[in-house]
Amino acid sequence: MRTLSAIAGLLIALAVGLPAQLMVDGSRVYSVLPVDAIPAILDPAFVTGREAGRIMADEEQVIGVVGPNGTAVAYSTWHLDHHEIVNDVVDGIALAVTW
Amino acid sequence: MYARDIGDQLLTFGVSGRLWKDALVMYDHQTNSLWGHVIGKAIDGPLEGHSLETYPATQTTWKAWLRAHPDTKVLKKPKLWRSNYERYDADPRRMGIHGRRMKKSQLPPKSKIAGFELNGQMFAFPLSSLKPGQTLVPVVDEAPLLIYVDEAGQGVSLWRVRDRETLASYSLDPERPTQVVGRDGSVYSLLDQSRSLAGGDLVRMQVVIAYWFGWHNFHPLTEVLKP
């Protein structure tokens, strides 16, 4: 199994053209997709909670944050599946929402 | 959730397309350093060794979040999307991209845990051991903890309490089960961080919901707790 994983990792690395294998803390850093193949959000747009009723399901998982001035912001993890990272600013604090 | 600055330098992050320990590796556009998103630390590049400061966040359902924060903003999305990972969640044999197996695991590898650090030691509760909508009072190394689990059993908030007596002085607000009230009258919302609320003796702790195998990749010496 380990050999198969190593071969798979090597094939992936060759396919992506990774120059050298990076090892960190004893674990290999695998390259599995081109950079930015999953697009992080750099200029987030928002709707109000009321407007969101049409696009959000009750059971939808969210990451919620409250800024120091009380501004509440929710990020759907279903949505984050497609972006992984949101670069946002909440009440003046620059935040990276990661999923 | 991280504050995305190191000293005076503001960073923006993108997806590197790489995985480390089965988890997302980010890169910053300013220095091209690689960052492990689970640990919030640069693992390669000019900023290697630097860590991002965590910012308290809550994971819960949209319904519970909206009830607690009726004036919330929501990141705009194009349509009602289901999770890509629902089938992945449901398949106990699929672990990470390599499909490897854990040996002698304390918990089912694909089970979800709530993990946290206390005094340098890592701990994890299996989510299946926590009852939705209730607070629990386990004690770790003489440090009382208060846990809130949302109705879906997926979102977890964790609080450290000063001592046992203080813990005994807190109770759930029967009108609003997402709040606890202390004898001194201080009120804590269990769904968001305490720093916006005055008074009291509860300190919000970072808690991560993760697959056991993914958490274990980073923290092999974790003590598993079963309240």
Side-chain angles (χ1 to χ4, degrees):
Chain A
M1 200 63 197
R2 194 168 292 175
T3 314
L4 279 178
S5 294
I7 291 169
L10 193 62
L11 288 175
I12 290 164
L14 286 173
V16 184
L18 193 68
Q21 288 286 9
L22 177 61
M23 294 286 289
V24 179
D25 188 21
S27 294
R28 185 160 291 156
V29 178
Y30 290 93
S31 197
V32 293
L33 287 169
V35 174
D36 293 330
I38 298 172
I41 296 177
L42 284 159
D43 51 350
F46 297 94
V47 297
T48 64
R50 187 176 296 177
E51 290 168 331
R54 278 170 291 167
I55 52 169
M56 301 288 288
D58 279 354
E59 75 278 16
E60 191 158 351
Q61 288 289 310
V62 299
I63 294 175
V65 66
V66 179
N69 300 338
T71 301
V73 190
Y75 310 86
S76 159
T77 66
W78 296 356
H79 188 29
L80 293 182
D81 285 345
H82 300 263
H83 297 284
E84 308 280 12
I85 302 168
V86 183
N87 294 277
D88 200 359
V89 177
V90 179
D91 287 342
I93 297 188
L95 296 173
V97 184
T98 68
W99 175 242
Chain B
M1 183 82 66
Y2 297 104
R4 52 182 173 84
D5 45 18
I6 293 290
D8 293 338
Q9 186 163 29
L10 190 62
L11 302 173
T12 51
F13 290 97
V15 179
S16 71
R18 299 178 195 202
L19 289 176
W20 179 54
K21 300 190 180 187
D22 290 326
L24 171 70
V25 175
M26 315 188 288
Y27 75 100
D28 68 73
H29 297 121
Q30 287 69 31
T31 75
N32 225 19
S33 300
L34 295 178
W35 299 77
H37 107 101
V38 174
I39 57 172
K41 191 171 175 182
I43 56 173
D44 195 43
L47 292 176
E48 182 179 344
H50 285 79
S51 291
L52 299 170
E53 199 175 314
T54 56
Y55 190 85
T58 298
Q59 198 181 323
T60 186
T61 60
W62 167 239
K63 187 180 177 185
W65 180 259
L66 183 63
R67 195 189 302 149
H69 303 283
D71 55 352
T72 190
K73 295 196 293 180
V74 186
L75 181 67
K76 197 171 174 181
K77 19 176 268 186
K79 61 184 175 192
L80 194 65
W81 258 327
R82 304 295 302 187
S83 172
N84 275 354
Y85 295 104
E86 275 178 324
R87 277 193 298 176
Y88 179 79
D89 275 345
D91 185 345
R93 292 164 303 178
R94 286 179 64 189
M95 292 201 306
I97 59 163
H98 304 309
R100 66 194 164 65
R101 289 172 192 278
M102 284 173 82
K103 289 171 190 162
K104 281 189 186 173
S105 180
Q106 284 175 278
L107 296 170
K110 278 290 284 287
S111 59
K112 289 208 174 158
I113 58 99
F116 62 97
E117 185 205 328
L118 186 65
N119 298 334
Q121 168 70 44
M122 294 295 175
F123 296 92
F125 288 106
L127 275 195
S128 61
S129 72
L130 302 174
K131 287 182 187 158
Q134 287 186 8
T135 46
L136 299 162
V137 288
V139 174
V140 179
D141 194 21
E142 298 306 307
L145 299 172
L146 187 75
I147 294 182
Y148 176 75
V149 187
D150 70 12
E151 288 159 358
Q154 298 290 316
V156 174
S157 306
L158 185 64
W159 305 79
R160 188 169 185 185
V161 189
R162 197 173 52 193
D163 51 41
R164 286 168 199 250
E165 284 177 15
T166 307
L167 182 65
S169 76
Y170 281 90
S171 57
L172 271 186
D173 182 342
E175 300 294 314
R176 296 192 64 181
T178 58
Q179 290 188 342
V180 282
V181 183
R183 270 185 207 147
D184 62 358
S186 50
V187 174
Y188 286 89
S189 165
L190 294 172
L191 282 175
D192 55 52
Q193 75 257 32
S194 64
R195 63 173 76 166
S196 60
L197 297 161
D201 309 291
L202 274 67
V203 179
R204 173 77 181 255
M205 293 174 64
Q206 279 296 129
V207 56
V208 174
I209 309 294
Y211 288 120
W212 169 241
F213 81 90
W215 174 267
H216 190 270
N217 280 344
F218 287 90
H219 309 299
L221 300 176
T222 297
E223 182 174 331
V224 175
L225 302 168
K226 292 191 179 177

